[in-house]
Amino acid sequence: MIIDSHCHLDFNVFNTDRKQVIERANQLGVNKIIIPGVMRKTWGDIKLYCETYSGLYPCYGLHPYFIEQHKEADLEQLRYWTQTNHPIAIGECGLDFYLKDLNRDKQIFYFEQQLDIALEFKLPVVIHARKSTEAVIDAIKKRPGLYGMIHSYSGSYEQAIKLIDLNFYLSFGGPITYDKSTRLRKMAQSLPLDSLLVETDSPDQPMANAPSLRNEPAFILEAIKSIADLHSTTEQEVANITTENAKKLFQLL
């Protein structure tokens, strides 16, 4: 079994062949896929797909990319959806300080509100952190008992250790498969496997062996291979450990 811990299978780019994408993943042993929500209007589609296809699991959240489209009423709806639809996590939420036109104060408000909802329902949180890892760490520290994952981790080794100590897993996908990602690869090599998850972030962040193709869950094997090479172990070992990590985090059977 392999778990893709972060995949936007609800995006419209999969509308013509979503079933085939899932079948290709299943054939390679990727039989559980976590789908994070990014906007209130996407939650219904995620719910539908997770009820339609076996092995898909929903998260609901408000992504910082769409900060100007979020409304405060969406937060109350998130609480309602969490109470009535039982997602496995809150997210994708977070902070993105790389894109300068995204209002930081709004980002922080919506991020912290979602962290509080995760705490309220005792759920893990799926966090997007780009050029904002320290601010994310500070927000987590203020909320004892919070736990979750940082998707497509890009912070420093020192920050990684802090996050691991705060009960967070670090997820890696396409970027780690590129030889030119020397800093990221060196850091991942030094982190314990029992703190790592694997993901595709499909349809984004393509793998090095298919840089011009739409990313999809079946391609996660390339990320597993890269981590195995960095840790001088087998792909099966990486698959086994990251699967157990994801099952533990999301309370999957």
mmCIF file with all atom_site columns, all heavy atoms in Angstrom, residues 223-234:
data_model
loop_
_atom_site.group_PDB
_atom_site.id
_atom_site.type_symbol
_atom_site.label_atom_id
_atom_site.label_alt_id
_atom_site.label_comp_id
_atom_site.label_asym_id
_atom_site.label_entity_id
_atom_site.label_seq_id
_atom_site.pdbx_PDB_ins_code
_atom_site.Cartn_x
_atom_site.Cartn_y
_atom_site.Cartn_z
_atom_site.occupancy
_atom_site.B_iso_or_equiv
_atom_site.pdbx_formal_charge
_atom_site.auth_seq_id
_atom_site.auth_comp_id
_atom_site.auth_asym_id
_atom_site.auth_atom_id
_atom_site.pdbx_PDB_model_num
ATOM 1  N N   . ALA A 1 223 ? 8.906  9.866  -6.304 1.00 0.00 ? 223 ALA A N   1
ATOM 2  C CA  . ALA A 1 223 ? 9.281  10.520 -5.042 1.00 0.00 ? 223 ALA A CA  1
ATOM 3  C C   . ALA A 1 223 ? 9.779  9.493  -4.037 1.00 0.00 ? 223 ALA A C   1
ATOM 4  O O   . ALA A 1 223 ? 10.759 9.729  -3.315 1.00 0.00 ? 223 ALA A O   1
ATOM 5  C CB  . ALA A 1 223 ? 8.093  11.289 -4.477 1.00 0.00 ? 223 ALA A CB  1
ATOM 6  N N   . ILE A 1 224 ? 9.118  8.348  -3.995 1.00 0.00 ? 224 ILE A N   1
ATOM 7  C CA  . ILE A 1 224 ? 9.550  7.271  -3.097 1.00 0.00 ? 224 ILE A CA  1
ATOM 8  C C   . ILE A 1 224 ? 10.954 6.805  -3.467 1.00 0.00 ? 224 ILE A C   1
ATOM 9  O O   . ILE A 1 224 ? 11.806 6.593  -2.593 1.00 0.00 ? 224 ILE A O   1
ATOM 10 C CB  . ILE A 1 224 ? 8.541  6.106  -3.147 1.00 0.00 ? 224 ILE A CB  1
ATOM 11 C CG1 . ILE A 1 224 ? 7.233  6.533  -2.468 1.00 0.00 ? 224 ILE A CG1 1
ATOM 12 C CG2 . ILE A 1 224 ? 9.112  4.844  -2.500 1.00 0.00 ? 224 ILE A CG2 1
ATOM 13 C CD1 . ILE A 1 224 ? 6.113  5.533  -2.599 1.00 0.00 ? 224 ILE A CD1 1
ATOM 14 N N   . LYS A 1 225 ? 11.207 6.646  -4.752 1.00 0.00 ? 225 LYS A N   1
ATOM 15 C CA  . LYS A 1 225 ? 12.537 6.230  -5.212 1.00 0.00 ? 225 LYS A CA  1
ATOM 16 C C   . LYS A 1 225 ? 13.605 7.237  -4.802 1.00 0.00 ? 225 LYS A C   1
ATOM 17 O O   . LYS A 1 225 ? 14.697 6.847  -4.343 1.00 0.00 ? 225 LYS A O   1
ATOM 18 C CB  . LYS A 1 225 ? 12.544 6.054  -6.723 1.00 0.00 ? 225 LYS A CB  1
ATOM 19 C CG  . LYS A 1 225 ? 13.883 5.604  -7.299 1.00 0.00 ? 225 LYS A CG  1
ATOM 20 C CD  . LYS A 1 225 ? 13.824 5.474  -8.813 1.00 0.00 ? 225 LYS A CD  1
ATOM 21 C CE  . LYS A 1 225 ? 15.128 4.911  -9.373 1.00 0.00 ? 225 LYS A CE  1
ATOM 22 N NZ  . LYS A 1 225 ? 16.298 5.759  -9.011 1.00 0.00 ? 225 LYS A NZ  1
ATOM 23 N N   . SER A 1 226 ? 13.316 8.522  -4.933 1.00 0.00 ? 226 SER A N   1
ATOM 24 C CA  . SER A 1 226 ? 14.289 9.549  -4.573 1.00 0.00 ? 226 SER A CA  1
ATOM 25 C C   . SER A 1 226 ? 14.613 9.501  -3.086 1.00 0.00 ? 226 SER A C   1
ATOM 26 O O   . SER A 1 226 ? 15.781 9.593  -2.694 1.00 0.00 ? 226 SER A O   1
ATOM 27 C CB  . SER A 1 226 ? 13.764 10.933 -4.950 1.00 0.00 ? 226 SER A CB  1
ATOM 28 O OG  . SER A 1 226 ? 13.682 11.081 -6.346 1.00 0.00 ? 226 SER A OG  1
ATOM 29 N N   . ILE A 1 227 ? 13.597 9.352  -2.250 1.00 0.00 ? 227 ILE A N   1
ATOM 30 C CA  . ILE A 1 227 ? 13.835 9.279  -0.812 1.00 0.00 ? 227 ILE A CA  1
ATOM 31 C C   . ILE A 1 227 ? 14.605 8.015  -0.459 1.00 0.00 ? 227 ILE A C   1
ATOM 32 O O   . ILE A 1 227 ? 15.513 8.034  0.381  1.00 0.00 ? 227 ILE A O   1
ATOM 33 C CB  . ILE A 1 227 ? 12.497 9.342  -0.048 1.00 0.00 ? 227 ILE A CB  1
ATOM 34 C CG1 . ILE A 1 227 ? 11.856 10.725 -0.244 1.00 0.00 ? 227 ILE A CG1 1
ATOM 35 C CG2 . ILE A 1 227 ? 12.704 9.059  1.436  1.00 0.00 ? 227 ILE A CG2 1
ATOM 36 C CD1 . ILE A 1 227 ? 10.463 10.848 0.328  1.00 0.00 ? 227 ILE A CD1 1
ATOM 37 N N   . ALA A 1 228 ? 14.278 6.905  -1.106 1.00 0.00 ? 228 ALA A N   1
ATOM 38 C CA  . ALA A 1 228 ? 15.001 5.659  -0.865 1.00 0.00 ? 228 ALA A CA  1
ATOM 39 C C   . ALA A 1 228 ? 16.480 5.810  -1.219 1.00 0.00 ? 228 ALA A C   1
ATOM 40 O O   . ALA A 1 228 ? 17.363 5.365  -0.469 1.00 0.00 ? 228 ALA A O   1
ATOM 41 C CB  . ALA A 1 228 ? 14.375 4.524  -1.662 1.00 0.00 ? 228 ALA A CB  1
ATOM 42 N N   . ASP A 1 229 ? 16.763 6.431  -2.342 1.00 0.00 ? 229 ASP A N   1
ATOM 43 C CA  . ASP A 1 229 ? 18.151 6.649  -2.748 1.00 0.00 ? 229 ASP A CA  1
ATOM 44 C C   . ASP A 1 229 ? 18.881 7.526  -1.739 1.00 0.00 ? 229 ASP A C   1
ATOM 45 O O   . ASP A 1 229 ? 20.036 7.256  -1.378 1.00 0.00 ? 229 ASP A O   1
ATOM 46 C CB  . ASP A 1 229 ? 18.209 7.298  -4.134 1.00 0.00 ? 229 ASP A CB  1
ATOM 47 C CG  . ASP A 1 229 ? 17.766 6.361  -5.245 1.00 0.00 ? 229 ASP A CG  1
ATOM 48 O OD1 . ASP A 1 229 ? 17.704 5.136  -4.998 1.00 0.00 ? 229 ASP A OD1 1
ATOM 49 O OD2 . ASP A 1 229 ? 17.474 6.852  -6.348 1.00 0.00 ? 229 ASP A OD2 1
ATOM 50 N N   . LEU A 1 230 ? 18.228 8.570  -1.280 1.00 0.00 ? 230 LEU A N   1
ATOM 51 C CA  . LEU A 1 230 ? 18.857 9.488  -0.327 1.00 0.00 ? 230 LEU A CA  1
ATOM 52 C C   . LEU A 1 230 ? 19.146 8.807  1.003  1.00 0.00 ? 230 LEU A C   1
ATOM 53 O O   . LEU A 1 230 ? 20.137 9.121  1.672  1.00 0.00 ? 230 LEU A O   1
ATOM 54 C CB  . LEU A 1 230 ? 17.960 10.705 -0.103 1.00 0.00 ? 230 LEU A CB  1
ATOM 55 C CG  . LEU A 1 230 ? 17.831 11.676 -1.280 1.00 0.00 ? 230 LEU A CG  1
ATOM 56 C CD1 . LEU A 1 230 ? 16.718 12.678 -1.019 1.00 0.00 ? 230 LEU A CD1 1
ATOM 57 C CD2 . LEU A 1 230 ? 19.143 12.389 -1.540 1.00 0.00 ? 230 LEU A CD2 1
ATOM 58 N N   . HIS A 1 231 ? 18.292 7.872  1.394  1.00 0.00 ? 231 HIS A N   1
ATOM 59 C CA  . HIS A 1 231 ? 18.446 7.177  2.675  1.00 0.00 ? 231 HIS A CA  1
ATOM 60 C C   . HIS A 1 231 ? 19.158 5.834  2.536  1.00 0.00 ? 231 HIS A C   1
ATOM 61 O O   . HIS A 1 231 ? 19.271 5.092  3.518  1.00 0.00 ? 231 HIS A O   1
ATOM 62 C CB  . HIS A 1 231 ? 17.083 6.990  3.338  1.00 0.00 ? 231 HIS A CB  1
ATOM 63 C CG  . HIS A 1 231 ? 16.582 8.213  4.036  1.00 0.00 ? 231 HIS A CG  1
ATOM 64 N ND1 . HIS A 1 231 ? 16.700 8.408  5.395  1.00 0.00 ? 231 HIS A ND1 1
ATOM 65 C CD2 . HIS A 1 231 ? 15.984 9.337  3.557  1.00 0.00 ? 231 HIS A CD2 1
ATOM 66 C CE1 . HIS A 1 231 ? 16.185 9.572  5.727  1.00 0.00 ? 231 HIS A CE1 1
ATOM 67 N NE2 . HIS A 1 231 ? 15.732 10.160 4.633  1.00 0.00 ? 231 HIS A NE2 1
ATOM 68 N N   . SER A 1 232 ? 19.608 5.542  1.325  1.00 0.00 ? 232 SER A N   1
ATOM 69 C CA  . SER A 1 232 ? 20.312 4.277  1.073  1.00 0.00 ? 232 SER A CA  1
ATOM 70 C C   . SER A 1 232 ? 19.510 3.081  1.569  1.00 0.00 ? 232 SER A C   1
ATOM 71 O O   . SER A 1 232 ? 20.027 2.178  2.253  1.00 0.00 ? 232 SER A O   1
ATOM 72 C CB  . SER A 1 232 ? 21.699 4.294  1.724  1.00 0.00 ? 232 SER A CB  1
ATOM 73 O OG  . SER A 1 232 ? 22.475 5.334  1.203  1.00 0.00 ? 232 SER A OG  1
ATOM 74 N N   . THR A 1 233 ? 18.235 3.076  1.227  1.00 0.00 ? 233 THR A N   1
ATOM 75 C CA  . THR A 1 233 ? 17.370 1.965  1.601  1.00 0.00 ? 233 THR A CA  1
ATOM 76 C C   . THR A 1 233 ? 16.510 1.602  0.394  1.00 0.00 ? 233 THR A C   1
ATOM 77 O O   . THR A 1 233 ? 16.722 2.107  -0.704 1.00 0.00 ? 233 THR A O   1
ATOM 78 C CB  . THR A 1 233 ? 16.496 2.340  2.825  1.00 0.00 ? 233 THR A CB  1
ATOM 79 O OG1 . THR A 1 233 ? 15.796 1.180  3.268  1.00 0.00 ? 233 THR A OG1 1
ATOM 80 C CG2 . THR A 1 233 ? 15.514 3.450  2.502  1.00 0.00 ? 233 THR A CG2 1
ATOM 81 N N   . THR A 1 234 ? 15.561 0.707  0.595  1.00 0.00 ? 234 THR A N   1
ATOM 82 C CA  . THR A 1 234 ? 14.737 0.239  -0.521 1.00 0.00 ? 234 THR A CA  1
ATOM 83 C C   . THR A 1 234 ? 13.484 1.087  -0.679 1.00 0.00 ? 234 THR A C   1
ATOM 84 O O   . THR A 1 234 ? 13.001 1.712  0.281  1.00 0.00 ? 234 THR A O   1
ATOM 85 C CB  . THR A 1 234 ? 14.315 -1.220 -0.310 1.00 0.00 ? 234 THR A CB  1
ATOM 86 O OG1 . THR A 1 234 ? 13.458 -1.292 0.841  1.00 0.00 ? 234 THR A OG1 1
ATOM 87 C CG2 . THR A 1 234 ? 15.530 -2.110 -0.092 1.00 0.00 ? 234 THR A CG2 1
#
